[in-house]
Amino acid sequence: MADKWPAANGNWSSAANWNDGTKPVAGDDVYADGKTVTIDEDVTVGSIRNTQRTSGTVGGGFTVGGSRTVTANVGGFIAGSGSTLIVTNGATPTTLNGNMVGSSISGIYVHQHSGTGSLTLNGNVTGGSVTSASGMLVSTYATVTINGNVTGGTQGSAFGLHKSGGEVLTININGNVSSGTASTSSHGIQFNSGGVTLNIVGDVTAIANVNALNLAGTNTVNVTGSVNGSSTNGGTGISTGSGSTINVTGNVTGNLGHGIDIQTTQYLTITGNVFGANTNSKAAIALNNSASTCTINGNITGGANSSAYGLWAQNATSVVINGNVTGGTFGVGVLYQAGGSLTVNGNAIGGLGANGISSAGSGAVFVNRCIGSDFGSGSSGISATVGLSHATQNAVRCKYFQCGSRGMWPVFGPVLIDLQTDTSFQTRTNPSQSVF
């Protein structure tokens, strides 16, 4: 293992261009040393960097053109000043093997690339430790695949992955995405513009007061994994721009930050369960735009804090829940303050200390079955809770009503009940279990 650097600008394949007249080999740490080197062949080394070597020069960089495989499987690709690696391979594929780490010296990107081909990185991408030092900058590309984790850095705007241009892209990440530990904007993934299909097979988790995904513009986001709000501050798992479509196959959990925060017109589908925070105060999903639609194919459970809702709809066009909604210890399962409509094709169940659904909006509400709390007045210190609490005079339809095991009533408030034609009245052995 040796330190290698070029004597002048030129091609990697030229042995005469290297410091001792021999090309770098596996295990070597390769420095740009202020020069520009074109990687014109497949290479395997220990690391590729433009940090300063002993008695050397910081800066310079490496350019990959054409269909190449570049492996830096010990130290990875490390920035010092300027872009360590620039990929401009046109319509041909490039494969990079090794981790990418943002700068610790200046606010420059490790990796930027342009063209219409495909790029595959087998390794992790991490933002740097100074401002604006992203792990990877994407300007123009057709398909980028990262087989590894993407993590924001420790300073502001030190994104893990940063898309700056306006081109249409597909980005595939087979790994977890998390924000960094800076107080602001060290997002795991930052888009300055839309036009991206982002596919993530892994968990999305906010850290500190920073969003894991912070995506401007209209995008399609597909996540197969859990989405989690920050447990240490107000960071959101997913925040994306107007007109975007978000599909999550996995659970969504709130904490000190929302799991998903919808501020603009968006289309959200969750195939999984939704949980309000166990110890902290934010809803798992917050809907804050009157033109948004939301479908949840799973159950929703309120959390342990009074504002730890499973779903909080301040504004929405349509919310459809194909599952049950249950109140938590103190957090309501669904707080519905919107217009539009709320449809629950399952049960609304009173929880230990909170309602399954609290409706205070102008929208129409339909619930298949409302069930009173099983805890009720017979449990010391626990207030009576219901499946559905309604505070306005808009239409509420419920197909079945069922009292809790301690006789707690299934609904509360000025409910205008539009009973279905097939509604029946049945008295069971235990009257508290009656179904109306």
Side-chain angles (χ1 to χ4, degrees):
M1 182 182 298
D3 290 349
K4 300 288 293 185
W5 62 90
N9 299 333
N11 291 332
W12 185 293
S13 62
S14 175
N17 196 46
W18 293 97
N19 58 306
D20 60 358
T22 61
K23 295 190 296 182
V25 296
D28 286 348
D29 293 318
V30 182
Y31 293 82
D33 205 42
K35 310 301 190 302
T36 299
V37 177
T38 299
I39 301 176
D40 58 342
E41 61 184 2
D42 294 346
V43 301
T44 298
V45 294
S47 67
I48 293 177
R49 57 184 78 200
N50 62 0
T51 55
Q52 185 174 9
R53 65 178 178 84
T54 302
S55 301
T57 303
V58 70
F62 300 85
T63 299
V64 179
S67 179
R68 300 292 175 214
T69 297
V70 180
T71 300
N73 54 8
V74 179
F77 304 89
I78 305 172
S81 177
S83 297
T84 302
L85 187 65
I86 299 175
V87 180
T88 55
N89 64 349
T92 58
T94 297
T95 300
L96 305 177
N97 300 311
N99 299 326
M100 286 195 167
V101 182
S103 173
S104 60
I105 298 176
S106 62
I108 306 296
Y109 310 106
V110 165
H111 177 83
Q112 63 184 28
H113 53 88
S114 60
T116 58
S118 64
L119 171 67
T120 299
L121 171 67
N122 298 310
N124 301 322
V125 178
T126 305
S129 57
V130 297
T131 302
S132 301
S134 295
M136 177 184 288
L137 171 66
V138 179
S139 55
T140 306
Y141 234 72
T143 302
V144 175
T145 299
I146 299 172
N147 296 314
N149 301 325
V150 177
T151 306
T154 59
Q155 295 294 323
S157 300
F159 314 123
L161 185 149
H162 182 198
K163 176 189 176 288
S164 62
E167 295 76 13
V168 176
L169 301 167
T170 297
I171 299 177
N172 304 309
I173 299 175
N174 298 308
N176 301 324
V177 178
S178 60
S179 52
T181 58
S183 59
T184 58
S185 71
S186 58
H187 307 296
I189 298 178
Q190 166 75 28
F191 291 168
N192 290 358
S193 58
V196 178
T197 297
L198 174 61
N199 303 310
I200 299 173
V201 180
D203 298 334
V204 175
T205 303
I207 307 294
N209 193 31
V210 184
N211 302 334
L213 305 185
N214 196 67
L215 314 179
T218 300
N219 304 285
T220 297
V221 180
N222 302 308
V223 177
T224 302
S226 65
V227 177
N228 309 287
S230 171
S231 62
T232 59
N233 213 312
T236 295
I238 299 176
S239 177
T240 189
S242 180
S244 293
T245 298
I246 302 173
N247 302 304
V248 177
T249 302
N251 297 332
V252 180
T253 303
N255 219 305
L256 279 176
H258 300 299
I260 299 174
D261 189 5
I262 304 298
Q263 296 287 342
T264 58
T265 303
Q266 294 177 32
Y267 310 93
L268 173 64
T269 301
I270 308 295
T271 302
N273 299 321
V274 177
F275 301 96
N278 284 329
T279 58
N280 293 312
S281 58
K282 289 296 181 69
I285 298 173
L287 303 178
N288 297 295
N289 186 274
S290 59
S292 294
T293 64
C294 175
T295 300
I296 297 176
N297 301 309
N299 301 322
I300 298 179
T301 304
N305 186 288
S306 60
S307 56
Y309 317 121
L311 184 147
W312 179 21
Q314 292 181 287
N315 285 291
T317 297
S318 172
V319 177
V320 178
I321 301 167
N322 297 312
N324 299 327
V325 178
T326 304
T329 306
F330 295 105
V332 172
V334 173
L335 177 60
Y336 196 78
Q337 299 174 318
S341 63
L342 169 65
T343 301
V344 179
N345 296 313
N347 302 327
I349 306 167
L352 183 64
N355 302 322
I357 299 171
S358 288
S359 174
S362 60
V365 177
F366 170 80
V367 180
N368 180 62
R369 183 187 297 267
C370 295
I371 302 175
S373 167
D374 285 337
F375 304 96
S377 58
S379 298
S380 177
I382 302 298
S383 62
T385 59
V386 298
L388 170 64
S389 175
H390 193 61
T392 59
Q393 292 290 339
N394 55 302
V396 174
R397 297 168 58 200
C398 186
K399 194 171 183 180
Y400 300 104
F401 294 96
Q402 180 176 325
C403 295
S405 61
R406 293 178 181 270
M408 301 317 302
W409 195 243
V411 295
F412 177 81
V415 179
L416 301 177
I417 302 173
D418 179 14
L419 296 177
Q420 298 292 289
T421 57
D422 61 347
T423 298
S424 60
F425 178 89
Q426 300 175 358
T427 302
R428 299 185 179 177
T429 303
N430 180 354
S432 70
Q433 295 285 354
S434 295
V435 177
F436 299 86

